[in-house]
């Protein structure tokens, strides 16, 4: 989720506009920039865990998680489209 939203927030080189723009307060903006990115042993890009952030003395990014969850829509693994049905 963090990597997907990060890609949406990056400006397009051709137009300079991002696909997504978040209007958040200062505390949320700080939390959005607090986790570090790295690579796993298999070469995949990973976001720093909350446990390692706590070890660094950084608080849990709860507000940032909330902002990202507000715009996150997971991909349906089975390809079903439910056309407006609410569970």
């Amino acid at each position: 989720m963090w990597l997907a939203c990060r890609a949406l927030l990056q400006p397009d080189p051709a137009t300079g506009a991002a696909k997504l723009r978040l209007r958040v307060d200062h505390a949320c903006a700080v939390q959005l920039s607090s986790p570090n990115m790295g690579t796993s042993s298999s070469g995949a890009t990973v976001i720093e865990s909350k446990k390692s952030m706590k070890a660094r003395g950084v608080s849990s990014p709860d507000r940032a998680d909330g902002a990202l969850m507000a715009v996150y829509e997971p991909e349906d693994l089975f390809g079903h489209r439910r056309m407006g049905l609410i569970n």
Side-chain angles (χ1 to χ4, degrees):
M1 174 181 64
W2 280 79
L3 291 175
C5 284
R6 183 177 187 275
L8 290 174
L9 291 168
Q10 296 298 316
D12 182 19
T15 63
K19 292 182 181 179
L20 177 68
R21 181 177 176 183
L22 294 177
R23 292 179 184 232
V24 295
D25 62 349
H26 179 71
C28 186
V30 168
Q31 287 185 2
L32 282 167
S33 63
S34 60
N36 293 326
M37 285 188 0
T39 54
S40 66
S41 58
S42 63
T45 303
V46 293
I47 300 295
E48 181 180 22
S49 68
K50 290 183 181 184
K51 185 177 180 179
S52 9
M53 288 176 64
K54 188 174 182 179
R56 280 194 305 135
V58 178
S59 63
S60 177
D62 295 328
R63 293 175 73 112
D65 281 341
L68 295 179
M69 289 295 287
V71 297
Y72 180 71
E73 184 175 341
E75 183 178 339
D76 186 6
L77 298 177
F78 302 106
H80 301 135
R81 292 198 55 164
R82 299 195 30 169
M83 298 296 184
L85 296 177
I86 299 175
N87 288 337

